[in-house]
Amino acid sequence: MAWKEFRRGKRSKTDVREFEFSLEENLFNLHYDLKQKIYNHGLYQSFYIQDPKLRHINKATVRDRVLHHAVFRIFYPIFDKLFIYDSYSCRKDKGTHAAVNRLDSFLDRSSCNNSKKVFVLKCDIRKFFDSVNHQTLLKFIKNKVTDKNLIWLVEKIIFSFEFKKGQGIPLGNVTSQLFANIYLNELDQFIKHKLKVRHYIRYCDDFIIISKNDNYLQQLISVINLFLRDYLALTLHERKIIIRPYRQGIDFLGYVLLPHYRVLRTKTKRRILKLIKKNLINEKSLPSYLGHLQHCRSFKLRKLLYSNSR
């Protein structure tokens, strides 16, 4: 019996005992395979989701996902302490809202409370998850992890997926989130300690640099691109490199930051209005939208959401 069917269906005491026995048996079998080193990663289920842009998800089996979480729990405390403070993706006490608040603080500080002109360089790494080099990722992991059994296991996970030969980590694995931070920590360290950039924030494969000098930011683009190409086999997305003054608004993680206030990104606002028009926001989904809107100027939209959900 599948877990979803088990949760949704009517369950007798016999069903519960059978499911618990099946779960326990599968865990013992997984433990045996790992101990005997005969474990092999299963195939992925591939599908697309709209989030809001189209994303290609590769979902591992339940057996493999249990293992992913176990590996994540071991690796996270080892690597997280190596990351810079201003890396905000998939880390405890971080996230999108913390990143946006930090950017707000940086902009306020750099502009001396909006009294001076500042510029922002915003970049995106081209097809990051598809481009991660397996051997390079393993090298970074081996720099901190020496246990042969752990290395054997992490190799099984990394080599279980390829976008191209020797490249790619799947969107869908909890381990991929950590692997992405391990891989891009090299970029973080280069920008913070080699280039001596003071105001820098990264969320996954998007990053921002703030300066009072737009020519300096322009010069950084080629330097960073060269480092990415030579050291990480990555490139910046040419159409997503933007330099703009703060007063024109900085679009980051769903919000647009301006001097003295913050608003919702236009595309996000239009998407919410479309959902309201189709009556697709109900009492269950309402709190998540309101939670997102409370971090920006959005009184009229919140009022509309309240009235529509009643």
Side-chain angles (χ1 to χ4, degrees):
M1 185 185 292
W3 172 241
K4 285 185 179 179
E5 293 173 1
F6 178 76
R7 289 183 68 187
R8 290 172 184 168
K10 292 182 179 180
R11 304 178 295 277
S12 65
K13 288 183 179 180
T14 304
D15 289 333
V16 173
R17 283 195 296 269
E18 285 179 355
F19 190 86
E20 287 175 346
F21 175 77
S22 175
L23 179 63
E24 185 179 28
E25 185 181 27
N26 285 326
L27 288 173
F28 277 119
N29 287 339
L30 176 58
H31 178 264
Y32 177 83
D33 288 352
L34 291 170
K35 198 170 183 180
Q36 299 298 316
K37 285 199 171 181
I38 58 173
Y39 165 80
N40 283 305
H41 199 285
L43 298 176
Y44 289 88
Q45 179 189 351
S46 181
F47 57 93
Y48 289 89
I49 62 169
Q50 202 81 27
D51 183 38
K53 67 179 182 181
L54 197 65
R55 295 186 186 275
H56 190 193
I57 305 298
N58 288 277
K59 182 181 175 183
T61 63
V62 173
R63 178 175 183 263
D64 293 323
R65 295 206 304 274
V66 168
L67 189 63
H68 295 168
H69 279 275
V71 170
F72 182 90
R73 289 181 67 180
I74 294 168
F75 275 47
Y76 183 87
I78 296 171
F79 287 97
D80 188 68
K81 61 187 177 184
L82 305 175
F83 301 154
I84 65 168
Y85 182 86
D86 289 310
S87 163
Y88 285 88
S89 175
C90 306
R91 296 178 66 194
K92 291 177 183 176
D93 303 318
K94 300 289 184 177
T96 56
H97 295 133
V100 173
N101 289 338
R102 182 70 161 170
L103 176 58
D104 215 351
S105 172
F106 278 170
L107 290 166
D108 190 51
R109 199 181 310 167
S110 299
S111 64
C112 299
N113 294 323
N114 306 309
S115 64
K116 294 183 179 179
K117 195 172 185 179
V118 294
F119 298 88
V120 171
L121 167 64
K122 184 181 174 186
C123 297
D124 178 279
I125 297 171
R126 186 178 181 84
K127 295 183 177 179
F128 169 69
F129 281 90
D130 293 341
S131 304
V132 170
N133 183 280
H134 290 172
Q135 292 301 332
T136 303
L137 174 59
L138 269 174
K139 181 180 75 174
F140 297 150
I141 292 172
K142 287 178 180 178
N143 286 341
K144 287 296 172 184
V145 178
T146 56
D147 186 284
K148 291 181 180 179
N149 291 325
L150 270 176
I151 294 299
W152 170 80
L153 183 54
V154 84
E155 283 178 348
K156 290 283 185 182
I157 295 172
I158 291 171
F159 297 150
S160 69
F161 177 86
E162 281 186 331
F163 179 75
K164 290 181 181 178
K165 188 170 178 60
Q167 286 180 212
I169 53 176
L171 272 172
N173 283 6
V174 67
T175 49
S176 294
Q177 301 168 358
L178 180 58
F179 291 160
N181 278 334
I182 292 171
Y183 205 82
L184 289 177
N185 181 53
E186 304 299 319
L187 172 65
D188 298 340
Q189 300 297 334
F190 174 73
I191 291 175
K192 291 295 292 182
H193 301 298
K194 294 292 183 182
L195 299 182
K196 306 292 183 183
V197 171
R198 187 177 179 185
H199 295 134
Y200 164 78
I201 291 174
R202 180 178 63 81
Y203 188 92
C204 197
D205 55 353
D206 294 323
F207 63 89
I208 274 181
I209 296 173
I210 302 166
S211 174
K212 294 174 184 176
N213 189 333
D214 56 336
N215 289 326
Y216 167 71
L217 293 177
Q218 189 65 49
Q219 292 168 12
L220 283 182
I221 295 169
S222 58
V223 176
I224 292 170
N225 223 353
L226 194 64
F227 173 83
L228 287 171
R229 187 195 68 188
D230 293 348
Y231 198 63
L232 298 176
L234 301 171
T235 56
L236 295 176
H237 198 304
E238 291 182 0
R239 288 179 293 176
K240 293 184 179 180
I241 299 172
I242 299 167
I243 297 177
R244 63 187 295 140
Y246 174 33
R247 58 181 172 77
Q248 289 184 7
I250 308 303
D251 189 328
F252 188 55
L253 301 177
Y255 301 98
V256 177
L257 283 73
L258 293 137
H260 308 296
Y261 66 100
R262 183 190 309 175
V263 295
L264 199 64
R265 180 185 284 164
T266 304
K267 286 183 180 178
T268 308
K269 185 177 180 180
R270 285 175 183 166
R271 191 167 69 251
I272 292 174
L273 289 171
K274 192 181 290 184
L275 291 171
I276 292 173
K277 192 175 181 180
K278 293 180 179 179
N279 291 316
L280 294 175
I281 296 177
N282 52 38
E283 288 183 5
K284 288 184 178 179
S285 60
L286 178 64
S288 64
Y289 287 101
L290 294 176
H292 189 64
L293 292 172
Q294 73 178 358
H295 295 274
C296 65
R297 184 179 287 185
S298 58
F299 176 76
K300 289 182 180 179
L301 188 55
R302 278 182 284 162
K303 188 177 179 181
L304 190 60
L305 276 168
Y306 271 122
S307 61
N308 182 74
S309 62
R310 288 176 179 174

